[in-house]
Amino acid sequence: MNIIVAGGDGFCGWPTALYLSKQGHDVSILDNEVRRKIDDELHSNSVTPISSLEERVDKWKELTGKEIRTYIGDLNHYDFLREVLKKEQPDAFVHFAEQRSAPYSMIDREHAVYTQTNNVVGNLNVLYGIREIVPDCHLIKLGTMGEYGTPNIPIEEGFIEIEHKGRKDVLPYPKQPGSFYHLSKVHDSHNIMFACKIWGIRATDLNQGIVYGLETDETKMDPLLTNRLDYDDVYGTALNRFIIQSTIGHDLTVYGQGGQTRGFLNIKDTVRCIEIAAENPADKGEFRVFNQFTEEFSVLDLAKLVQKVAKEEGFGTDIAHLENPRVELEDHFFQAENTKLKDLGLEPHLLTEDVVRDILKAVVDHKDRVIKENVLPQVSWT
Ligand code: NAD
């Protein structure tokens, strides 16, 4: 298949592009490299030193003989997007290319507006581009489990059967997101569902949990292929951030009580889920939703797990309960469905102590790169 990976220079997109290329797909990457610029804006960095996109794809070609074409540009520039779609004629468009940090979207008005404009307009352009140029192309869009929020009933995969005043219907599952970023994903989902209905586009919305891990078999092939790894308060996600904090002797920063429970998955499962979605496309006009996570943990569970493994590796560390900068429940019911990807063949990599140990060992070599003042939360929801 010809597959475009939009956002293919990022944390999830880069290993996905390599994996799909290795599986024999004809892959190209579209990215405006804004994530690298945001590092400069935040005076932050990836713990792992990452090479330029050009160096990355050159090394991949040298090692495997496989070419990944690159298109540097912005989804918000429709003329650019049209040209890429015309040239590639993709069978699948994997859409990772959004601003994905909740804290970043909550910094101030400008960052909220940027996040929603970048994400919602970019996604709308993708929908129009598919309609105009490649109407059969399967849109595989990264949503987030955060779209659902934390309702006091089990979370279904996209839709829920409701009985109301004696009548029944299957309706989109209610969305109660917790940041302007998560809201942008909800807006995307609505736009995609509508476009499927009116234009007959085929789409899969992958409501992904929080991704942990660093390397895949492909990114491990050479230091130039290494994935990025974020640890700061803005982009660092819970487990990865805790592991890095433990290696620099920093307390593990649990926000509030730490009972916040979420769905998680290994980056190795992210790449496989995309392959599964691509190889089992949605029907024409179908808006399909999969919940893409493998296990549920509370933030405090993760901190305790990291604390134990880190101690065994010689990094004693404490758990600090900080005042929660977010507005969210810290003790709540959470139970979510995640059977659809498993039914299509996903065999999850579960979070064991050895998995934490492996990530920790990969990080230790680069711990001198950590900018310590970036670890504590600086963005408040209120
Ligand atoms: P990332 O920031 O590392 O990568 C996103 C990439 O998209 C970057 O390389 C960036 O330069 C590019 N990009 C952003 N806006 C663009 C635009 N307008 N045009 C072209 N390129 C653009 O993020 P990630 O962690 O790889 O996340 C990828 C996707 O997965 C996001 O949509 C995110 O919402 C979703 N997701 C991620 C996680 C996670 O834990 N990382 C969890 C759930 C969902």
Side-chain angles (χ1 to χ4, degrees):
M1 288 169 104
N2 179 305
I3 305 182
I4 294 179
V5 180
D9 190 41
F11 170 63
C12 298
W14 172 242
T16 301
L18 295 186
Y19 181 71
L20 294 174
S21 172
K22 188 189 82 180
Q23 302 300 95
H25 296 295
D26 185 12
V27 175
S28 53
I29 286 176
L30 180 161
D31 202 297
N32 65 355
E33 302 189 324
V34 67
R35 181 68 192 86
R36 292 175 186 255
K37 291 171 198 138
I38 290 176
D39 273 343
D40 296 339
E41 176 199 343
L42 299 175
H43 306 291
S44 193
N45 58 358
S46 159
V47 179
T48 45
I50 49 171
S51 44
S52 70
L53 182 56
E54 205 183 330
E55 287 170 317
R56 286 175 148 186
V57 294
D58 285 351
K59 179 50 81 176
W60 181 245
K61 185 158 187 198
E62 184 192 315
L63 292 175
T64 64
K66 293 176 189 296
E67 188 189 358
I68 297 179
R69 293 174 296 285
T70 56
Y71 298 94
I72 304 303
D74 194 321
L75 287 183
N76 282 268
H77 299 155
Y78 189 59
D79 291 346
F80 159 76
L81 175 62
R82 285 177 82 234
E83 289 313 306
V84 178
L85 292 174
K86 274 188 191 161
K87 183 139 186 273
E88 290 294 331
Q89 296 289 320
D91 301 296
F93 189 100
V94 182
H95 182 9
F96 287 109
E98 298 204 331
Q99 192 301 98
R100 70 102 168 131
S101 156
Y104 190 84
S105 76
M106 301 301 291
I107 292 175
D108 57 15
R109 187 195 68 84
E110 280 79 9
H111 289 81
V113 168
Y114 165 73
T115 299
Q116 294 216 350
T117 310
N118 184 62
N119 295 1
V120 179
V121 176
N123 183 61
L124 200 51
N125 280 341
V126 172
L127 291 169
Y128 267 92
I130 289 177
R131 177 204 183 200
E132 185 187 341
I133 294 153
V134 279
D136 243 359
C137 174
H138 177 205
L139 171 61
I140 301 171
K141 166 69 170 47
L142 272 292
T144 152
M145 287 299 292
E147 292 184 40
Y148 299 117
T150 52
N152 202 26
I153 56 170
I155 294 171
E156 305 298 325
E157 295 197 66
F159 298 89
I160 183 168
E161 188 176 326
I162 302 269
E163 190 173 342
H164 181 63
K165 296 189 175 171
R167 298 190 64 82
K168 273 191 189 165
D169 204 350
V170 176
L171 297 172
Y173 195 94
K175 304 285 178 79
Q176 303 182 79
S179 73
F180 287 122
Y181 152 69
H182 289 102
L183 276 154
S184 76
K185 300 298 231 189
V186 173
H187 305 328
D188 287 345
S189 296
H190 287 150
N191 285 342
I192 299 168
M193 185 167 73
F194 184 65
C196 288
K197 188 164 77 179
I198 58 171
W199 298 330
I201 284 177
R202 53 178 96 234
T204 303
D205 203 2
L206 295 171
N207 283 340
Q208 182 168 243
I210 301 168
V211 186
Y212 62 85
L214 165 64
E215 303 287 19
T216 58
D217 291 345
E218 294 70 52
T219 63
K220 269 199 297 211
M221 286 169 65
D222 189 279
L224 281 178
L225 302 181
T226 296
N227 201 8
R228 69 169 300 127
L229 190 63
D230 297 305
Y231 63 91
D232 61 37
D233 69 306
V234 179
Y235 277 90
T237 53
L239 183 73
N240 282 352
R241 182 160 46 89
F242 291 155
I243 291 174
I244 292 161
Q245 286 174 334
S246 75
T247 66
I248 59 164
H250 199 286
D251 292 348
L252 309 186
T253 51
V254 169
Y255 299 164
Q257 297 174 45
Q260 301 91 319
T261 302
R262 303 285 185 264
F264 286 81
L265 77 163
N266 193 309
I267 185 73
K268 293 178 180 168
D269 288 334
T270 292
V271 305
R272 172 72 180 127
C273 289
I274 303 296
E275 180 188 32
I276 290 173
E279 290 181 348
N280 300 276
D283 291 334
K284 267 194 100 47
E286 185 186 11
F287 171 66
R288 196 171 61 165
V289 182
F290 296 163
N291 289 347
Q292 180 170 313
F293 72 95
T294 58
E295 294 175 279
E296 295 168 5
F297 298 99
S298 77
V299 172
L300 189 56
D301 290 339
L302 293 180
K304 286 180 178 163
L305 176 65
V306 172
Q307 186 182 38
K308 178 169 186 291
V309 175
K311 193 170 172 214
E312 286 164 13
E313 294 299 313
F315 298 101
T317 183
D318 292 323
I319 294 175
H321 289 266
L322 305 186
E323 190 183 336
N324 194 343
R326 304 180 178 210
V327 177
E328 62 185 1
L329 296 177
E330 293 174 10
D331 183 16
H332 59 87
F333 173 80
F334 188 85
Q335 183 190 314
E337 280 296 319
N338 62 347
T339 53
K340 291 188 183 173
L341 282 158
K342 287 192 245 174
D343 289 347
L344 289 171
L346 175 66
E347 291 172 17
H349 293 81
L350 297 182
L351 181 58
T352 60
E353 290 182 9
D354 282 341
V355 169
V356 174
R357 192 168 286 110
D358 281 354
I359 305 169
L360 191 141
K361 284 182 175 161
V363 167
V364 167
D365 289 346
H366 305 295
K367 68 187 174 75
D368 293 345
R369 288 172 52 83
V370 174
I371 302 166
K372 291 192 179 159
E373 51 273 28
N374 288 352
V375 166
L376 286 171
Q378 293 169 67
V379 181
S380 161
W381 262 227
T382 53

